[in-house]
């Protein structure tokens, strides 16, 4: 995909010019009135941070006021005769994943969908001979084929998915990652749901969860976060008719409309979130499907930072791309969509990035109480900051405790209460994302899968 919404260039000339002009103005004023600049920055950051917290509370409240997931019972899913089902294309991008290809074949084989209506395309990179050979040895049916993606830049998952979409023959198309374990009835549920909802719905996002929750503390935190995301925040966005930043897997599309939209941006490293915003800008709706795909939660600290910094970098990309033409964005998304774009898409990585700075400021105050802090944090922004410190942190911990309940996992309560340690990890990932956004924006940092297999082998 190229053009207006592409992240090939993260900042346009106009955006660069505006940024430079703003920095010059701030610099000039800082020389003349340094305290005014500090007070203004603190005020803006504090208000934005407080707004992001309130926004999440509103989403959780909205999600709790009804069932905002699309539900299709097992009986209804199986009731559709095989001859009435459409051809369904499953795209599976994989890179350096030879250890999980065998399990992938088993998980795809469990899908309850007629083989003559199922098209599975393994998207493998030309330079990844090891995975190609493992896939060739594991192929388990004529409905599965390998598409070798030619060597080219950028080497990203969305570029591979676009190559697969070009050859896809299905009326519907979805993506699974190599380690995914989808609900066997998920394709049937998606077909029934999209037919019920009508043509205004172009995509359904299935719920993602993890099969290795109990591997270590990081996987437990990750599982609680995903439960909050898919069971509270995304349904809240649905309830408020706001754009849905899609997950990287188990999103089910009408193939024709996906092509008309330009498919995925190969330069955006969180292409799913970007596509969710573009769907909303085009007037299409996205639903959340009550069907679970199990993934592998990252269990290694370094690997987790790599994955999370890529997600945050892509969210920042998406935010900047869709702010290029503010008037058009407001016209197409409306005030609700713009609120979501700023407080959810942009606010998620920015809050993670700012957390460390805000914690350091708070610690400095309690240790030394420097007088300059009193001058910077003027009322009423001091009280807003105090609200964020007490109410904001307590709220996020409460949301994790709420996820403990929705998951029916009381043993994870201790993990929920230790969430501030997880936030520190997020802050590191946010800093790395901001740095990479400047120096190598479209670089796709590979996440290693199969770590649970190494743990099991010990």
């Amino acid at each position: 995909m190229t053009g207006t919404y592409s992240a090939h260039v993260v900042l346009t000339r106009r955006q660069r010019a505006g940024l430079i002009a703003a920095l010059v103005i701030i610099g000039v004023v800082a020389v003349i009135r340094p305290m005014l600049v500090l007070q203004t920055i603190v005020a803006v950051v504090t208000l934005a941070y407080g707004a992001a917290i309130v926004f999440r509370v509103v989403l959780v409240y909205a999600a709790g006021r009804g069932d905002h997931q699309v539900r299709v019972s097992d009986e209804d899913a199986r009731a559709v005769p095989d001859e009435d089902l459409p051809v369904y294309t499953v795209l599976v991008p994989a890179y350096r994943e030879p250890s999980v290809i065998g399990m992938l074949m088993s998980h795809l084989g469990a899908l309850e969908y007629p083989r003559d209506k199922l098209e599975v395309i393994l998207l493998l990179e030309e330079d990844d001979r090891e995975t190609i050979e493992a896939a060739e040895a594991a192929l388990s049916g004529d409905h599965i084929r390998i598409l070798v993606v030619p060597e080219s830049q950028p080497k990203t998952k969305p570029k591979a998915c676009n190559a697969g979409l070009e050859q896809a023959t299905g009326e519907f198309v979805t993506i699974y990652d190599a380690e995914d374990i989808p609900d066997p009835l998920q394709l049937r549920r998606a077909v029934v749901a999209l037919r019920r909802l009508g043509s205004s719905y172009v995509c359904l996002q299935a719920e993602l969860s993890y099969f290795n929750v109990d591997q270590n503390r990081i996987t437990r935190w990750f599982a609680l976060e995903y439960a909050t995301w898919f069971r509270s925040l995304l349904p809240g966005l649905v309830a408020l008719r706001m754009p849905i930043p899609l997950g990287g897997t188990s999103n089910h599309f009408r193939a024709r409309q996906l092509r008309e939209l330009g498919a995925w941006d190969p330069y955006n490293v969180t292409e799913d979130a970007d596509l969710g915003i573009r769907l909303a800008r085009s007037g299409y709706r996205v639903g959340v499907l009550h069907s679970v795909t199990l993934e592998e939660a990252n269990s290694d600290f370094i690997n987790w930072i790599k994955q999370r910094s890529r997600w945050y970098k892509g969210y920042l990309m998406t935010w900047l791309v869709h702010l290029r033409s503010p008037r058009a964005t407001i016209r197409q998304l409306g005030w609700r969509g713009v609120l979501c774009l700023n407080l959810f898409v942009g606010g998620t990585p920015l809050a993670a990035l700012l957390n460390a700075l805000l914690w350091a400021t708070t610690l400095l105050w309690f240790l030394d109480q420097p007088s300059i802090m009193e001058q910077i944090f003027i009322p009423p922004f001091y009280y807003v900051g105090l609200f964020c410190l007490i109410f904001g942190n307590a709220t996020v911990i409460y949301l994790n405790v709420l996820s403990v309940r929705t998951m029916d996992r009381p043993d994870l309560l201790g993990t929920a209460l230790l969430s501030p340690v997880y936030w520190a990890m997020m802050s590191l990932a946010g800093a790395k994302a901001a740095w990479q956004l400047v120096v190598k924006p479209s670089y796709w940092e590979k996440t290693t899968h199969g770590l649970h297999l190494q743990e099991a082998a010990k």
Side-chain angles (χ1 to χ4, degrees):
M1 188 201 77
T2 58
T4 306
Y5 301 146
S6 176
H8 187 200
V9 176
V10 177
L11 289 176
T12 62
R13 285 185 183 178
R14 182 181 297 180
Q15 285 177 307
R16 280 201 211 97
L19 179 61
I20 292 171
L23 291 174
V24 169
I25 293 171
I26 292 171
V28 170
V29 177
V31 172
I32 303 171
R33 299 281 302 276
M35 186 54 64
L36 176 63
V37 170
L38 288 175
Q39 289 172 343
T40 302
I41 291 173
V42 166
V44 170
V45 168
T46 302
L47 288 175
Y49 199 91
I53 291 172
V54 172
F55 183 69
R56 294 204 167 210
V57 172
V58 170
L59 289 181
V60 174
Y61 176 76
R65 288 178 60 82
D67 187 358
H68 300 286
Q69 292 184 324
V70 184
R71 296 178 182 269
V72 177
S73 68
D74 293 2
E75 294 76 15
D76 287 347
R78 291 191 175 108
V80 182
D82 288 358
E83 58 270 19
D84 290 343
L85 290 170
V87 175
Y88 216 121
T89 299
V90 176
L91 302 177
V92 186
Y95 186 57
R96 295 178 182 170
E97 306 277 16
S99 63
V100 299
I101 289 295
M103 291 187 299
L104 169 66
M105 293 300 151
S106 174
H107 301 152
L108 294 179
L111 291 172
E112 292 188 31
Y113 208 84
R115 294 301 177 255
D116 61 329
K117 296 289 186 73
L118 183 62
E119 176 186 52
V120 178
I121 306 177
L122 302 183
L123 304 169
L124 309 179
E125 296 287 340
E126 187 177 30
D127 65 345
D128 187 13
R129 290 305 312 170
E130 191 175 4
T131 303
I132 292 174
E133 291 171 3
E136 288 173 341
L139 285 181
S140 57
D142 294 338
H143 63 291
I144 302 177
R145 63 189 174 98
I146 296 171
L147 174 60
V148 176
V149 181
E151 178 69 26
S152 65
Q153 294 299 322
K155 184 176 287 189
T156 59
K157 174 181 174 181
K159 184 198 75 174
C161 289
N162 285 339
L165 185 63
E166 287 180 4
Q167 297 196 19
T169 63
E171 178 184 342
F172 296 137
V173 61
T174 190
I175 299 173
Y176 290 132
D177 286 337
E179 83 281 7
D180 284 358
I181 308 176
D183 162 21
L185 286 172
Q186 190 170 109
L187 302 187
R188 282 179 169 269
R189 294 189 209 278
V191 169
V192 173
L194 284 169
R195 285 176 172 174
R196 281 181 187 171
L197 293 169
S199 59
S200 62
Y201 280 81
V202 171
C203 176
L204 291 174
Q205 172 67 64
E207 180 183 342
L208 304 180
S209 188
Y210 295 118
F211 56 74
N212 61 324
V213 173
D214 297 315
Q215 187 170 342
N216 60 23
R217 185 71 68 182
I218 294 176
T219 60
R220 294 186 185 98
W221 277 322
F222 214 165
L224 288 173
E225 181 187 16
Y226 255 36
T228 301
W229 190 268
F230 287 97
R231 299 183 185 184
S232 296
L233 299 181
L234 293 193
L237 291 174
V238 170
L240 297 177
R241 298 289 294 270
M242 291 182 171
I244 309 295
L246 300 174
T249 177
S250 303
N251 28 49
H252 300 263
F253 299 96
R254 298 183 191 271
R256 180 176 62 81
Q257 286 88 341
L258 179 60
R259 291 188 178 96
E260 291 173 353
L261 201 64
W264 297 274
D265 179 5
Y267 293 95
N268 192 316
V269 296
T270 313
E271 76 295 337
D272 33 36
D274 166 68
L275 186 54
I277 301 299
R278 285 195 283 123
L279 283 165
R281 293 190 69 163
S282 298
Y284 292 125
R285 298 187 64 182
V286 175
V288 177
L289 181 65
H290 184 68
S291 176
V292 178
T293 295
L294 296 177
E295 296 191 297
E296 179 190 6
N298 259 315
S299 57
D300 176 76
F301 174 77
I302 299 299
N303 205 44
W304 185 93
I305 292 291
K306 287 180 180 180
Q307 184 183 59
R308 184 53 57 96
S309 63
R310 174 169 55 79
W311 291 356
Y312 282 167
K313 181 172 65 172
Y315 266 59
L316 290 171
M317 277 181 167
T318 300
W319 180 57
L320 292 170
V321 162
H322 291 281
L323 286 179
R324 286 176 182 171
S325 304
R327 279 191 226 171
T329 302
I330 293 170
R331 185 178 69 254
Q332 293 168 347
L333 290 182
W335 69 269
R336 292 170 184 250
V338 171
L339 205 63
C340 173
L341 178 65
N342 287 289
L343 296 181
F344 199 72
V345 177
T348 296
L350 289 176
L353 178 62
L354 289 170
N355 270 340
L357 178 62
L358 296 175
W359 292 333
T361 302
T362 304
L363 184 62
L364 179 62
W365 170 253
F366 281 114
L367 290 177
D368 191 47
Q369 297 188 356
S371 58
I372 192 174
M373 298 285 285
E374 295 184 34
Q375 299 176 55
I376 295 174
F377 285 88
I378 59 173
F381 303 111
Y382 167 80
Y383 297 104
V384 176
L386 192 62
F387 166 84
C388 292
L389 174 65
I390 298 174
F391 177 77
N393 289 333
T395 297
V396 178
I397 290 175
Y398 171 75
L399 293 181
N400 280 336
V401 172
L402 188 64
S403 293
V404 169
R405 181 179 177 183
T406 61
M407 294 173 67
D408 194 22
R409 288 291 306 268
D411 56 301
L412 295 180
L413 180 60
T415 298
L417 297 177
L418 290 173
S419 295
V421 181
Y422 192 55
W423 304 343
M425 292 168 57
M426 291 179 178
S427 199
L428 284 174
K432 183 180 178 183
W435 171 251
Q436 282 200 346
L437 186 67
V438 175
V439 298
K440 44 184 177 181
S442 293
Y443 171 64
W444 188 284
E445 195 153 23
K446 175 74 178 101
T447 302
T448 303
H449 295 120
L451 296 178
H452 69 288
L453 298 175
Q454 299 174 20
E455 189 75 18
K458 290 181 181 179

